Amino acid sequence: WVKWILRLLTGKCELQRVLGGAEAGARRTLSILRNAVHVEEAEVDKCVRDVMEEKKIEQKDTGFRTKLRISLLQISGYKKLYLDVENLRKVPFDSENEEHEEQLIELWNLLMPHENLKARISKQWCDIGFQGDDPKTDFRGMGLLGLVNLVYFSRHYTNEARQILSRSNHPKLGYSYAIVGINLTEMAYSLLKNGALKSHLYNMVSGLPQMEHFHQFYCYLVYEFDKFWFEEEPESIMHFNQYREKFHEKIKGLLLDCNVILTLQD
């Protein structure tokens, strides 16, 4: 429905008809159609009325009205979700921020329930896949978004997270769990930014997509990447970028399906 609405609002035939009409009327119609795909959530209902009036669709056609409204909410919601994700990515991890520190400790407790963290600065962080004794340095690229994603997966899919952490310690095929998790946050972020997640989110959410839906897609990436890595059996972690890109291409291919939904089920 979203793609149909977009064709209705911005298709070549429509623009030709608009531009071929009277100048004033053409400008009004073109403005309405353009605004429809850039409308803010608060203006959706008014935009629906304007589009239906301009397209001479009966206002009592509740079926069309409902579908148009949902489609416009999805379109505007996708843009807002990207801004929310981007804003979280821009927040640097701050060791002086109590909430940031609490989330970091929660990550440890979720993944390592039978081992106490002896100190905030500790080599123990390497046990869950960070590079050094202070994880804050690993969040520089993705900011707080990287940590929030790691915590979300560990909180909502605790058994799976612990299993994947265990597998990541494989003597031959092992990888750095937390570092790879942050890398997959970058992958999810880039796919959202370039619009590749539109079909997935439009199919998944009948209305406004929320931050949680982005986190759920991230969880799918973590789970599927672990399977992919062990199926591919790379010679060593030194080939990570090569296989990461191969996995990226696989996901982009799946997202080309207009009926796609990529998520884990609780």
Side-chain angles (χ1 to χ4, degrees):
W1 257 98
V2 175
K3 291 183 178 180
W4 186 89
I5 292 297
L6 286 171
R7 288 198 298 270
L8 170 70
L9 298 177
T10 61
K12 290 183 179 179
C13 292
E14 177 60 33
L15 292 178
Q16 289 171 356
R17 185 190 71 79
V18 169
L19 296 174
E23 184 176 353
R27 283 200 301 268
R28 168 184 160 76
T29 302
L30 189 57
S31 175
I32 290 173
L33 298 179
R34 283 177 172 170
N35 289 341
V37 292
H38 298 287
V39 67
E40 298 292 332
E41 178 187 356
E43 297 295 320
V44 165
D45 288 330
K46 179 180 182 303
C47 184
V48 169
R49 291 193 299 271
D50 291 345
V51 169
M52 292 181 70
E53 179 179 341
E54 192 64 30
K55 302 295 292 184
K56 296 181 172 54
I57 298 171
E58 291 289 338
Q59 294 289 336
K60 62 183 179 181
D61 187 341
T62 56
F64 181 86
R65 177 192 295 275
T66 299
K67 291 181 174 64
L68 177 58
R69 184 177 188 278
I70 290 174
S71 296
L72 294 182
L73 282 174
Q74 289 176 317
I75 294 168
S76 65
Y78 189 95
K79 295 172 184 176
K80 183 178 185 302
L81 175 60
Y82 167 69
L83 292 177
D84 290 343
V85 170
E86 174 70 355
N87 288 336
L88 187 58
R89 186 190 70 85
K90 289 180 177 178
V91 177
F93 180 88
D94 181 3
S95 56
E96 299 298 320
N97 187 306
E98 185 176 343
E99 291 183 3
H100 294 189
E101 285 292 310
E102 287 176 353
Q103 289 188 71
L104 185 58
I105 298 304
E106 180 183 5
L107 177 65
W108 175 269
N109 291 335
L110 286 166
L111 293 174
M112 305 289 281
H114 304 301
E115 182 176 340
N116 291 328
L117 186 64
K118 297 175 183 177
R120 168 62 180 79
I121 307 298
S122 169
K123 290 295 184 183
Q124 286 178 284
W125 290 112
C126 295
D127 295 342
I128 61 173
F130 287 103
Q131 295 184 100
D133 57 6
D134 190 349
K136 74 176 184 179
T137 60
D138 294 324
F139 294 119
R140 287 173 182 167
M142 285 291 106
L144 196 60
L145 181 64
L147 175 58
V148 170
N149 271 343
L150 285 168
V151 172
Y152 184 95
F153 181 59
S154 299
R155 185 187 296 155
H156 290 82
Y157 300 96
T158 307
N159 290 335
E160 289 82 356
R162 291 173 183 171
Q163 289 169 7
I164 292 174
L165 173 61
S166 177
R167 282 161 60 86
S168 74
N169 291 317
H170 189 280
K172 181 182 178 181
L173 299 175
Y175 58 86
S176 299
Y177 174 84
I179 295 300
V180 170
I182 295 170
N183 195 286
L184 292 173
T185 287
E186 193 281 328
M187 184 182 296
Y189 164 77
S190 67
L191 290 168
L192 178 71
K193 182 178 181 179
N194 66 25
L197 290 189
K198 286 182 178 179
S199 289
H200 161 72
L201 288 173
Y202 292 163
N203 292 330
M204 184 182 181
V205 189
S206 181
L208 291 167
Q210 305 293 330
M211 181 68 77
E212 181 168 348
H213 300 119
F214 176 79
H215 295 325
Q216 289 174 2
F217 175 69
Y218 167 81
C219 293
Y220 172 86
L221 290 183
V222 174
Y223 188 82
E224 291 298 319
F225 178 82
D226 180 73
K227 290 199 303 181
F228 171 84
W229 182 261
F230 279 88
E231 287 169 358
E232 293 289 325
E233 297 186 348
E235 292 181 10
S236 77
I237 191 63
M238 299 302 294
H239 297 282
F240 173 77
N241 287 339
Q242 172 189 341
Y243 286 92
R244 189 260 192 204
E245 189 55 33
K246 186 175 180 180
F247 178 70
H248 192 190
E249 292 299 318
K250 176 183 177 180
I251 297 299
K252 287 194 290 187
L254 293 174
L255 290 170
L256 292 176
D257 181 356
C258 62
N259 297 312
V260 69
I261 297 180
L262 302 181
T263 186
L264 296 180
Q265 299 297 320
D266 287 319

